[in-house]
Amino acid sequence: MRSDGGDQKILLSGRPGCGKTTLIKRLVNRLAQSAGGFYTEEIRDRGTRVGFKIVTLDGDEAVFAHVEIESSARLGKYRLDLSALEAVGVRAVREAVQRGRLVVIDEIGPMEIRSPAFRDTVMEALASKAPLLATIFARSLPFTDMIKSRDDVVVIEVRPDNRERLVSELGEVLASRQNSSGRGIRGEHRTPNAETSN
């Protein structure tokens, strides 16, 4: 552990299916009254992934990527509704920043960063004094590489062999931040060369 102050920025990275979103949810369940932002859930149809939806910590939802929605923006097989991301996800993040709550962003990834408003909001959260807990795309992209190279972030690789430890360790760090004790966490400053998904 190290002391980094109350505005700690923690980024979770790792391989697909390593448990980043699950880790975020478990941590948020401990701190629901002091956090704001969103996480991403898969949409499945008869066992096949067909899209993603944004779910805010206040319970709002919006589909922002799907194989069947009408949109000119697309990534792979998914068409993107960036306006839904901005109306629900971006708004939730901005409100958390303004209130100085723990800011949760899941994910800073290739779909989300297609939105200029989302990119601007991520930068606002990083520049703010609010603590940040986010998942971030592991493979190299200019925007995400820039964020991971910042001196004020801690990048932590989530793996099957450290997930349970991280639940406990990060939970203590975030709870201690609530109590203004200013504890920090030592990150594993590695960027895995692996594709991630929400």
Side-chain angles (χ1 to χ4, degrees), residues 36-38 56 88-99 103-106 118 121-122 124-125 132:
F38 72 89
T56 73
V88 177
V90 167
R91 177 178 54 80
V93 171
R94 285 181 170 160
E95 288 179 357
V97 170
Q98 291 167 2
R99 295 176 183 176
V103 178
V104 175
I105 305 175
D106 173 39
F118 177 82
T121 301
V122 169
E124 290 170 12
L132 171 69

Side-chain angles (χ1 to χ4, degrees), residues 19 26 30 32 37 49 91 120 129 135 155 164 171 176 178:
R26 291 178 67 181
R30 298 187 179 197
R49 188 172 67 190
R91 177 178 54 80
D120 289 347
K129 293 190 178 298
T135 60
V155 181
E164 289 305 313
S176 67
Q178 282 185 291

Side-chain angles (χ1 to χ4, degrees), residues 31 170-181:
L31 302 158
L170 286 171
E172 290 179 5
V173 169
L174 297 171
S176 67
R177 183 263 167 187
Q178 282 185 291
N179 296 326
S180 301
S181 64

Side-chain angles (χ1 to χ4, degrees), residues 5-73:
D7 59 342
Q8 181 133 44
K9 317 297 184 185
I10 300 171
L11 305 177
L12 305 178
S13 188
R15 293 177 177 273
C18 69
K20 298 183 298 298
T21 296
T22 300
L23 177 55
I24 289 268
K25 289 180 179 179
R26 291 178 67 181
L27 289 167
V28 165
N29 283 339
R30 298 187 179 197
L31 302 158
Q33 299 305 310
S34 62
F38 72 89
Y39 58 86
T40 305
E41 287 189 347
E42 293 183 350
I43 301 171
R44 290 187 170 268
D45 182 10
R46 287 173 286 187
T48 300
R49 188 172 67 190
V50 295
F52 297 95
K53 65 179 179 179
I54 294 291
V55 182
T56 73
L57 273 59
D58 293 327
D60 294 333
E61 297 185 7
V63 175
F64 88 102
H66 202 279
V67 294
E68 294 183 352
I69 61 176
E70 294 294 329
S71 174
S72 59

Side-chain angles (χ1 to χ4, degrees), residues 139-171:
R139 293 184 65 184
S140 180
L141 293 172
F143 184 74
T144 55
D145 287 350
M146 177 270 293
I147 293 173
K148 286 181 281 189
S149 68
R150 290 172 61 108
D151 292 335
D152 59 349
V153 305
V154 177
V155 181
I156 300 171
E157 181 183 353
V158 180
R159 305 183 307 271
D161 66 354
N162 73 354
R163 285 179 306 196
E164 289 305 313
R165 174 175 64 82
L166 288 174
V167 171
S168 174
E169 199 168 285
L170 286 171

